[in-house]
Amino acid sequence: MKILMVTSEALPYAKTGGLADMVSSLSIALAKLGHDVRIVIPRYYPIDKTSLTPLPGALGVPMGGIEEWSAVYEERLPGSTAKKPVQVYFIDHEIYFGRDGIYGIPSQPDFIDNPRRFSFFCKAAFQLCRKIEWYPDVVHAHDWPAAMATVYQKFAERAPVAGGQIPGGFERAVSILTIHNLGYQGVYSKANFDYTGLGWDVYFRANFDDWDMMNFLKAGIFNADKLNTVSPNYAEETKTQAQGFRLDGDLRQRSKDYLGILNGIDTSIWNPAKDKYLGEKFSVENMAGKAKAKAALQKYFGLEVNPKVPVIGMITRLAGQKGVGELFGPNYGSAFSFCRDFALQFVLLGSGESWCEKEVAGLSARLTNFRAQIGYSEELSHLIEAGSDFFLMPSRYEPCGLNQMYSLAYGTLPIVRRTGGLVDTVENYDEKTGSGTGFMFDILDPSSIYNTIGWAMHAWYNLPEHIAEMRIRAMKQDFSWEKSAKKYVEMYQSAISALPAAGA
Ligand code: ADP
Ligand code: GLC
């Protein structure tokens, strides 16, 4: 199959979260299965174009009333092989993408022209295929910034546009939407719709309207041939009012075509036996490297280097979704209390909401066993996963979550809230039998976090044989992409077989 991934993020070029890891690692896994996978992504300003190959000529993209022009660059995705390549195309439009920030910058977290930037990008994806004369069987869009691709496909590429011709090439292509996070829908003034170049009848027929606003994700949900989210449990949760972010009814309406497929992890990057960032690699057979990583981590953060004191790690966007209000919120956050009361060390790597960055800096100043690095660091994230004993993820909601899977692979036991993909990947500890791979709680509030950390500390200090067994069990879990990539292939195939017969 020929598969085009339309995405606003992909590793190693542009990343704000797990979307970037997922798109690149899924693409590589599909290529390994023998499919021709290509990715299209904006050429954001920090992506160095001098190291890419330019395609000859410009790309014309007809938008409402105007023709936009862009350059296109390409290269083979690092991590994919010459035999099973994943080709990446970069859409280079100076006005839309020649600036810092993927979706925004700290002073303007959501760029005012995002509806235009991403509508343009989605239209450009189709024009790109025409330019390179490569027509996919599957156009696979990720999250709201790419959701417009499903609409273009249905109303402009596959069906006759009022009074016009079908430009051709996509009549037999199916559209897939993967929802990585229902909390971000792309809701803007509908005044932005004119720019899409689609008639206003399409605005209503495609179900954009959301209380008089234009909702990109909602339109994607209605117009994709098939859709999915990134874990089976989150797929169920999103169909409830409590977790549906107002789109639960729409998702229930599409439930026949709506699946949950668990993300995999890239085991060439996240594997303690091969990790290029680790001084000494480790595995179930030889755990000495983990102890070394712990010592290195303690040293890095200026903590007492002591194997007996448990280290709890956390790597996260500092956003409400991740439970940071309950952890670090002024007046009632639990981090201060559990660091004060338990013999543990806590290390955090993250960046995000400025109130939270300030609280975290305050905690570092007040507590000797709480250390944080604000910012983004691929290298440090590997050291935290490897060197910690526990990994904290008290998410409010979690479509899949990658960090708990990375943690399990490194024998670092997750302490998580029972939500979303965390339920599909972590098995709760049972003190009577010693079974499980992590520690879970239900209610997101400071005292539940405090108590669950207390429970993990109890096991650490009093039942060390359980901790050792859980570690080995965790490291033996298989979260590689193989199984899940096949489920994507099945979803693509079922969408293709549901197309009306040619000429019908
Ligand atoms: P989400 O996509 O909701 O943020 P995931 O768990 O799916 O959550 O993915 C988060 C990804 O981003 C992981 O690969 C994690 O290691 C990475 N990450 C988040 N914050 C940082 C940071 N400050 N430094 C390095 N990596 C980070
Ligand atoms: C989103 C979700 C996260 C998921 C990731 C990759 O960012 O918040 O749970 O793992 O996408 O699918």
Side-chain angles (χ1 to χ4, degrees):
M1 261 184 273
K2 289 187 279 181
I3 302 155
L4 179 67
M5 299 286 179
V6 186
T7 181
S8 55
E9 297 185 28
L11 265 187
Y13 310 108
K15 165 161 164 170
T16 66
L19 166 64
D21 305 51
M22 187 281 191
V23 169
S24 298
S25 53
L26 170 62
S27 299
I28 291 171
L30 289 166
K32 279 193 187 142
L33 292 176
H35 302 288
D36 178 0
V37 189
R38 309 198 184 187
I39 296 175
V40 58
I41 185 173
R43 206 286 293 186
Y44 302 106
Y45 190 56
I47 302 174
D48 176 16
K49 59 182 171 187
T50 59
S51 64
L52 308 172
T53 311
L55 294 192
L59 184 74
V61 184
M63 301 305 294
I66 47 165
E67 178 118 15
E68 299 273 10
W69 292 92
S70 101
V72 183
Y73 292 82
E74 66 174 332
E75 78 165 358
R76 171 153 59 81
L77 181 68
S80 72
T81 59
K83 265 190 158 169
K84 311 253 170 173
V86 173
Q87 200 63 11
V88 186
Y89 298 92
F90 301 85
I91 303 293
D92 185 36
H93 186 286
E94 191 59 32
I95 293 174
Y96 288 150
F97 303 117
R99 57 177 98 157
D100 280 329
I102 297 178
Y103 311 111
I105 48 176
S107 59
Q108 194 190 350
D110 189 10
F111 288 133
I112 195 165
D113 57 350
N114 274 345
R116 281 179 164 244
R117 294 170 79 226
F118 291 109
S119 297
F120 160 77
F121 167 62
C122 290
K123 187 72 187 170
F126 293 94
Q127 295 299 90
L128 165 74
C129 297
R130 296 201 165 90
K131 186 178 172 68
I132 60 174
E133 295 181 10
W134 177 87
Y135 292 95
D137 302 301
V138 179
V139 177
H140 187 161
H142 296 266
D143 272 352
W144 82 260
M148 193 68 199
T150 68
V151 178
Y152 279 128
Q153 189 158 339
K154 182 157 161 191
F155 292 94
E157 303 293 351
R158 198 147 77 188
V161 186
Q165 292 280 314
I166 314 178
F170 297 93
E171 295 82 352
R172 307 297 303 160
V174 294
S175 67
I176 302 289
L177 174 70
T178 295
I179 300 171
H180 296 262
N181 195 329
L182 207 54
Y184 301 88
Q185 299 178 5
V187 183
Y188 298 96
S189 160
K190 67 181 185 200
N192 289 293
F193 191 73
D194 276 328
Y195 178 72
T196 66
L198 297 163
W200 277 90
D201 60 319
V202 173
Y203 178 80
F204 293 100
R205 283 162 60 213
N207 264 307
F208 275 100
D209 200 60
D210 181 5
W211 293 87
D212 221 24
M213 300 285 279
M214 175 181 181
N215 185 324
F216 281 89
L217 191 68
K218 180 180 176 216
I221 287 173
F222 275 101
N223 296 295
D225 291 318
K226 299 269 178 199
L227 59 152
N228 78 301
T229 186
V230 286
S231 70
N233 187 49
Y234 190 63
E236 290 313 308
E237 288 175 354
T238 51
K239 286 184 267 181
T240 66
Q241 201 174 20
Q243 300 261 42
F245 284 96
R246 303 180 308 115
L247 298 184
D248 47 295
D250 303 331
L251 290 168
R252 284 197 298 277
Q253 203 169 319
R254 293 240 40 204
S255 61
K256 187 168 68 61
D257 297 314
Y258 176 45
L259 302 174
I261 303 178
L262 192 68
N263 283 337
I265 63 175
D266 187 333
T267 47
S268 67
I269 300 175
W270 292 99
N271 179 350
K274 291 190 193 154
D275 194 317
K276 66 172 180 192
Y277 295 113
L278 294 187
E280 188 173 324
K281 329 274 177 225
F282 62 93
S283 63
V284 170
E285 289 77 37
N286 182 359
M287 292 289 277
K290 184 159 177 77
K292 292 235 168 87
K294 176 168 173 176
L297 178 64
Q298 289 172 319
K299 194 159 165 238
Y300 178 89
F301 277 105
L303 293 160
E304 182 199 347
V305 178
N306 182 347
K308 294 201 179 111
V309 181
V311 177
I312 303 182
M314 185 168 183
I315 305 162
T316 188
R317 291 185 286 119
L318 299 173
Q321 176 196 345
K322 303 296 181 180
V324 296
E326 291 71 9
L327 255 186
F328 305 121
N331 308 326
Y332 65 68
S334 58
F336 178 78
S337 318
F338 66 67
C339 285
R340 179 195 56 198
D341 295 352
F342 298 122
L344 56 76
Q345 296 171 339
F346 188 91
V347 297
L348 169 80
L349 168 65
S351 62
E353 291 169 19
S354 61
W355 74 265
C356 193
E357 294 187 353
K358 281 187 202 130
E359 287 299 324
V360 163
L363 284 173
S364 308
R366 287 161 75 195
L367 294 158
T368 53
N369 58 343
F370 180 103
R371 287 285 165 268
Q373 180 164 318
I374 299 297
Y376 187 87
S377 165
E378 204 68 43
E379 183 171 357
L380 182 57
S381 73
H382 283 252
L383 184 60
I384 293 179
E385 290 291 6
S388 302
D389 298 297
F390 300 94
F391 193 92
L392 184 60
M393 265 178 103
S395 304
R396 177 168 295 279
Y397 69 97
E398 197 60 78
C400 178
L402 298 176
N403 274 311
Q404 82 282 11
M405 293 194 269
Y406 300 155
S407 303
L408 290 163
Y410 284 72
T412 300
L413 305 178
I415 301 173
V416 303
R417 179 157 176 261
R418 199 188 306 273
T419 188
L422 299 170
V423 174
D424 292 316
T425 48
V426 180
E427 188 201 331
N428 200 12
Y429 171 53
D430 181 339
E431 216 175 299
K432 289 193 208 87
T433 61
S435 67
T437 55
F439 300 80
M440 304 179 92
F441 60 96
D442 288 285
I443 296 167
L444 178 58
D445 64 10
S447 61
S448 301
I449 300 174
Y450 179 98
N451 289 331
T452 311
I453 286 183
W455 183 33
M457 293 306 104
H458 163 73
W460 173 268
Y461 283 108
N462 301 308
L463 295 158
E465 64 286 4
H466 281 182
I467 297 286
E469 285 162 21
M470 284 168 86
R471 263 200 180 144
I472 303 299
R473 195 174 299 124
M475 291 173 76
K476 286 187 172 162
Q477 307 277 313
D478 179 11
F479 293 116
S480 60
W481 260 109
E482 238 159 67
K483 258 185 288 166
S484 296
K486 285 188 184 137
K487 293 203 171 138
Y488 277 95
V489 173
E490 280 166 26
M491 172 165 65
Y492 299 156
Q493 272 159 348
S494 83
I496 290 169
S497 59
L499 277 178

